[in-house]
């Protein structure tokens, strides 16, 4: 059975993985944009104003790809939070059931003690009656 800490570590790992993928893809997009823009401006002899546009577009495209790759991460995080909430509720219910079981045990113990106490005087009377005869 998992505990709350393991779910929290899992959620943190998913969030870190998502951020790492997004940053990595943005850097790859920027590097690719620089390479493409230098090719377009230096070799094809287009205007140097296109460098910024090409780098930006390339970075945004790779950012969109990273969003697509990490779209399931949000669902995983929500599932983790849901599991933590369910685990807390189950723990609370378990504690309440344990308390009820302890109360029933104490009631049974109390009833048994009362039965023993009530049967003792009868035994003592029977002993005294038998002694008289």
């Amino acid at each position: 059975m998992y505990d709350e800490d393991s779910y929290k570590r899992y959620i943190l790992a998913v969030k870190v993985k998502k951020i790492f993928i997004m940053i990595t893809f943005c850097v790859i997009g920027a590097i690719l944009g620089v390479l493409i823009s230098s090719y377009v401006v230096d070799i094809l002899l287009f205007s140097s104003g296109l460098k910024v546009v090409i780098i930006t577009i390339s970075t945004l495209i790779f950012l969109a790809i990273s969003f697509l790759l990490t779209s399931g991460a949000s669902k995983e995080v929500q599932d983790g939070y849901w599991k933590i909430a369910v685990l807390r509720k189950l723990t609370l219910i378990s504690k309440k059931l344990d308390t009820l079981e302890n109360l029933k045990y104490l009631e049974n113990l109390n009833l048994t003690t009362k039965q023993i106490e009530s049967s003792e005087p009868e035994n003592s009377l029977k002993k005294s009656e038998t002694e008289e005869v």
Side-chain angles (χ1 to χ4, degrees), residues 96-112:
K96 286 183 179 181
L97 285 174
D98 288 343
T99 304
L100 285 175
E101 286 177 3
N102 288 339
L103 287 175
K104 286 182 181 178
Y105 174 75
L106 289 175
E107 279 181 8
N108 289 339
L109 187 64
N110 214 3
L111 288 175
T112 308

Side-chain angles (χ1 to χ4, degrees), residues 55-74:
I55 294 171
T56 305
I57 290 173
S58 174
T59 304
L60 289 175
I61 288 172
F62 274 84
L63 179 65
I65 292 170
S66 71
F67 277 136
L68 290 174
L69 289 176
T70 60
S71 63
S74 297

Side-chain angles (χ1 to χ4, degrees), residues 121-133:
E122 292 175 5
N123 289 338
S124 63
L125 285 176
K126 288 181 182 176
K127 285 182 184 177
S128 62
E129 289 175 0
T130 55
E131 289 175 1
E132 292 176 5
V133 174

Side-chain angles (χ1 to χ4, degrees), residues 106-120:
L106 289 175
E107 279 181 8
N108 289 339
L109 187 64
N110 214 3
L111 288 175
T112 308
T113 307
K114 286 182 182 178
Q115 288 174 353
I116 291 172
E117 288 173 359
S118 66
S119 66
E120 282 180 3

Side-chain angles (χ1 to χ4, degrees), residues 1-126:
M1 179 88 185
Y2 293 102
D3 60 346
E4 190 171 329
D5 291 333
S6 66
Y7 283 121
K8 285 183 179 179
R9 284 191 300 271
Y10 172 72
I11 290 170
L12 179 66
V14 169
K15 288 179 179 179
V16 168
K17 177 182 165 187
K18 179 180 179 177
I19 291 171
F20 178 75
I21 289 172
M22 292 174 76
I23 290 173
T24 304
F25 270 77
C26 285
V27 169
I28 291 171
I31 291 171
L32 246 150
V34 168
L35 293 175
I36 292 171
S37 67
S38 66
Y39 174 76
V40 168
V41 171
D42 295 339
I43 296 177
L44 298 178
L45 301 174
F46 280 93
S47 166
S48 63
L50 285 176
K51 273 189 167 188
V52 176
V53 174
I54 292 172
I55 294 171
T56 305
I57 290 173
S58 174
T59 304
L60 289 175
I61 288 172
F62 274 84
L63 179 65
I65 292 170
S66 71
F67 277 136
L68 290 174
L69 289 176
T70 60
S71 63
S74 297
K75 183 185 178 303
E76 290 180 39
V77 169
Q78 288 300 322
D79 285 346
Y81 283 130
W82 178 80
K83 288 177 183 177
I84 288 172
V86 168
L87 186 64
R88 285 181 182 168
K89 292 286 184 182
L90 287 175
T91 303
L92 182 67
I93 290 170
S94 175
K95 286 181 181 178
K96 286 183 179 181
L97 285 174
D98 288 343
T99 304
L100 285 175
E101 286 177 3
N102 288 339
L103 287 175
K104 286 182 181 178
Y105 174 75
L106 289 175
E107 279 181 8
N108 289 339
L109 187 64
N110 214 3
L111 288 175
T112 308
T113 307
K114 286 182 182 178
Q115 288 174 353
I116 291 172
E117 288 173 359
S118 66
S119 66
E120 282 180 3
E122 292 175 5
N123 289 338
S124 63
L125 285 176
K126 288 181 182 176

